[in-house]
């Protein structure tokens, strides 16, 4: 399966919970297996990572958030012998950043604690400059414990590269922003309200670029949306449960009353399948997509290979799914059946307090 040889991936983790920080691993493209190479705890709680394009000097870059009360972002050069810091760690002028993305020559972070989004310039050598702008969200939701104020959870560029979307769990909404590549100024373009109390966490686009799927954390559902890149407009058109029959929409499984908090949504490269990671239920859900891309159908759910799956990642070939199981402290990989989309567990490695996996 796939081409022979080794690739590289990086795993984020929570140092405050015993994690190693950022772990570099070799990836066997034939078997999906991971082998630990090295780790660095140079920043605290690097819970989410992203790989950037090469700098002007040809170096590949890795970026991380530091999910601390005084949130920060950091950059490293990816070398054959490990990671080398690329410039100073920069404050995001916000608290508890949980996600980051590259857009319009900037690194953008979603700051959960402060309910804001920050843009930091990426310099020619790949290092980060001080924060250029901070866009603060406003609003709340009906869940008093989780939605007393805004909580930006994810930020990403749309497929056209013209917009930056931020998913806010606290306000039950997705914001569409314009990012000025010269100044780093973030401007709110529009806001899409989702069903109150659903607690949207992460979003993934269909490869066609015309649809997006918002995974909700406070209710185990996916909200299907149409995306108009020309207008920068996101319109909800439906909602589907991501738990198998026997689990209700309040997030309580039938077999023991465990509350489920979905964490990540991934769409296959060919647009035929959608997967979600479900914490509590400790599963990966498989949904099939038809030609309209608007009617996901729940087909199966399989065990995640651990406990509390915080992140779900598809490798570049589309043949392997990787799950960062935070509470069991391991990363598991699964072979994806090309016909059914159902993943089969193939192995795992120990990574304490694992939070995400990204490929270089």
């Amino acid at each position: 399966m796939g081409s022979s040889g080794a690739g590289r991936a990086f795993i984020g983790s929570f140092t405050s919970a015993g994690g190693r920080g950022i772990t570099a691993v070799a990836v066997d493209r034939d078997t999906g297996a991971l082998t630990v190479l090295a780790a660095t705890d140079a920043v605290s709680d690097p819970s989410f990572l992203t790989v950037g394009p090469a700098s002007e000097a040809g170096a590949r870059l890795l970026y991380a958030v530091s999910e601390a009360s005084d949130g920060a972002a950091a950059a490293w050069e990816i070398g054959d012998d490990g990671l080398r810091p690329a410039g100073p760690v920069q404050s995001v002028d916000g608290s508890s950043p949980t996600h980051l993305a590259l857009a319009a020559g900037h690194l953008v972070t979603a700051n959960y604690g402060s309910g804001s989004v920050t843009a930091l310039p990426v310099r020619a050598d790949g290092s980060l400059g001080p924060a250029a702008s901070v866009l603060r969200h406003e609003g709340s939701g009906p869940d008093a414990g989780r939605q007393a104020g805004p909580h930006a959870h994810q930020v990403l560029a749309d497929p056209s590269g013209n917009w930056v979307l931020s998913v806010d769990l606290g306000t039950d909404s997705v914001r569409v922003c314009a990012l000025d590549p010269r100044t780093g100024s973030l401007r709110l373009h529009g806001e899409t309200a989702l069903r109150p109390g659903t607690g949207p966490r992460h979003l993934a686009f269909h490869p066609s670029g015309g649809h997006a799927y918002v995974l909700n954390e406070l209710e185990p559902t996916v909200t299907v949306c149409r995306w108009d890149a020309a207008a920068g407009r996101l319109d909800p058109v439906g909602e589907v449960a991501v738990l198998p029959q026997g689990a209700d929409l309040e997030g309580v499984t039938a077999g023991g009353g465990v509350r489920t908090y979905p964490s990540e949504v991934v769409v296959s490269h060919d647009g035929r399948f959608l997967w979600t990671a479900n914490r509590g239920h400790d599963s990966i859900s498989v949904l099939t997509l038809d030609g309209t891309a608007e009617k996901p159908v729940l087909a199966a759910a399989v065990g995640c290979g651990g406990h509390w799956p915080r992140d779900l990642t598809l490798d570049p070939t589309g043949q392997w799914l990787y799950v960062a199981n935070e509470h069991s402290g391991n990363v598991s990989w699964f072979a994806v059946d090309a016909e059914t989309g159902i993943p089969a567990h193939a192995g795992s490695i120990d990574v304490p307090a694992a939070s995400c996996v990204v490929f270089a």
Side-chain angles (χ1 to χ4, degrees), residues 79-303:
D80 292 337
D81 56 349
L83 296 173
R84 295 184 294 275
V89 175
Q90 297 286 0
S91 170
V92 300
D93 292 343
S95 65
S96 303
T98 53
H99 200 264
L100 73 172
L102 291 159
H106 290 76
L107 185 75
V108 188
T109 67
N111 311 316
Y112 182 88
S114 53
S116 61
V117 174
T118 302
L120 304 99
V122 177
R123 294 166 171 158
D125 63 358
S127 66
L128 299 172
S133 66
V134 178
L135 181 66
R136 304 191 183 282
H137 292 184
E138 296 181 356
S140 60
D143 186 325
R146 296 292 308 279
Q147 297 182 309
H151 292 299
H153 212 301
Q154 184 203 32
V155 63
L156 73 167
D158 86 301
S160 75
N162 294 325
W163 307 101
V164 173
L165 284 74
S166 58
V167 182
D168 196 301
L169 184 149
T171 63
D172 292 317
S173 65
V174 178
R175 289 168 173 80
V176 179
C177 303
L179 174 59
D180 189 318
R182 294 183 305 103
T183 66
S185 174
L186 283 160
R187 175 180 58 83
L188 181 62
H189 172 75
E191 183 175 359
T192 298
L194 303 182
R195 187 164 61 84
T198 52
R201 177 183 173 95
H202 276 202
L203 175 156
F205 283 99
H206 190 274
S208 68
H211 292 83
Y213 308 93
V214 183
L215 182 65
N216 301 307
E217 177 174 332
L218 301 185
E219 291 191 10
T221 60
V222 164
T223 302
V224 181
C225 301
R226 291 176 186 153
W227 170 246
D228 184 339
R233 179 167 174 165
L234 190 72
D235 292 313
V237 294
E239 191 175 316
V240 61
V242 300
L243 290 183
Q245 193 162 7
D248 66 28
L249 290 183
E250 294 301 318
V252 180
T253 65
V258 178
R259 181 76 183 264
T260 292
Y261 300 93
S263 61
E264 185 60 286
V265 56
V266 174
V267 181
S268 64
H269 299 331
D270 61 9
R272 296 172 55 216
F273 305 109
L274 181 152
W275 301 280
T276 71
N278 310 308
R279 296 168 299 177
H281 196 255
D282 286 347
S283 63
I284 304 169
S285 292
V286 185
L287 293 90
T288 59
L289 296 168
D290 64 10
T292 70
E294 292 188 357
K295 298 178 180 179
V297 175
L298 181 61
V302 302

